[in-house]
Amino acid sequence: MNLIRNLAALFIVVSILPITILAYRFTGNIPFDYTEISDELCLSQLREILLISYDLEYSYDSLNFIYQNKEFRLSEVNEKLILQPGTQIYLTNYDDMHFERKDGCIYVCYSRKGQDYERILCRESWIHIDAFSDCAVWNDESDSSEE
């Protein structure tokens, strides 16, 4: 009885072996570009920063904003999308990059190897920190430092 079970298992393995070899050969030849995944991960990290930033000002080639009471600039330097001050690199090795505003949102548009990409970064900020005040009257001075 054990001999029959072993022979049946051997027969099943031998019959499935050519199919698995073809599957490995087929999937091994599929080209996969990891840069798109890397771009999406980096842009999602950038979206987290832009979510809690304010005083957003954008132009065709740069994006300025305040994050944690510091002024930051997102711009292109040597074919890299860099957040300054400091050096946080978000996109690399692209041919062309610019920012666009569509439907109240700011997009980063870039091209790489002849393929165009358009990814949303954030909603355009209509709220500026100067719009908030402790004063009830526009010309009155703030009393937040008084005890």
Side-chain angles (χ1 to χ4, degrees):
M1 191 68 165
N2 284 335
L3 181 61
I4 294 173
R5 286 183 186 169
N6 288 338
L7 287 175
L10 186 61
F11 177 72
I12 291 171
V13 169
V14 169
S15 64
I16 293 177
L17 191 61
I19 296 171
T20 56
I21 290 173
L22 287 173
Y24 282 127
R25 186 179 301 158
F26 177 73
T27 56
N29 292 332
I30 295 175
F32 192 74
D33 190 15
Y34 289 101
T35 56
E36 289 184 36
I37 293 174
S38 175
D39 290 349
E40 288 300 322
L41 289 173
C42 291
L43 290 176
S44 69
Q45 291 173 351
L46 181 59
R47 285 182 196 111
E48 289 179 15
I49 291 172
L50 292 172
L51 182 66
I52 56 176
S53 65
Y54 50 91
D55 287 352
L56 186 70
E57 296 175 4
Y58 94 100
S59 64
Y60 184 79
D61 60 346
S62 68
L63 190 63
N64 300 316
F65 58 91
I66 297 176
Y67 173 67
Q68 294 181 343
N69 296 327
K70 296 178 188 172
E71 292 184 18
F72 284 89
R73 177 183 175 94
L74 188 65
S75 61
E76 176 184 7
V77 177
N78 296 331
E79 296 180 359
K80 293 175 179 64
L81 183 62
I82 293 182
L83 182 64
Q84 297 169 326
T87 305
Q88 294 183 22
I89 301 173
Y90 288 99
L91 296 175
T92 59
N93 299 328
Y94 52 81
D95 301 325
D96 182 40
M97 189 278 309
H98 65 277
F99 297 101
E100 283 185 13
R101 178 178 53 181
K102 294 180 185 176
D103 300 326
C105 297
I106 296 177
Y107 289 79
V108 61
C109 303
Y110 61 99
S111 62
R112 182 184 290 132
K113 297 179 184 173
Q115 190 169 5
D116 295 330
Y117 300 94
E118 183 177 285
R119 302 290 187 253
I120 189 167
L121 287 179
C122 62
R123 290 194 49 86
E124 187 175 21
S125 175
W126 294 102
I127 299 174
H128 292 278
I129 200 67
D130 295 338
F132 295 97
S133 175
D134 294 341
C135 304
V137 180
W138 176 255
N139 294 331
D140 193 14
E141 293 184 18
S142 173
D143 63 348
S144 61
S145 63
E146 295 179 7
E147 295 180 13

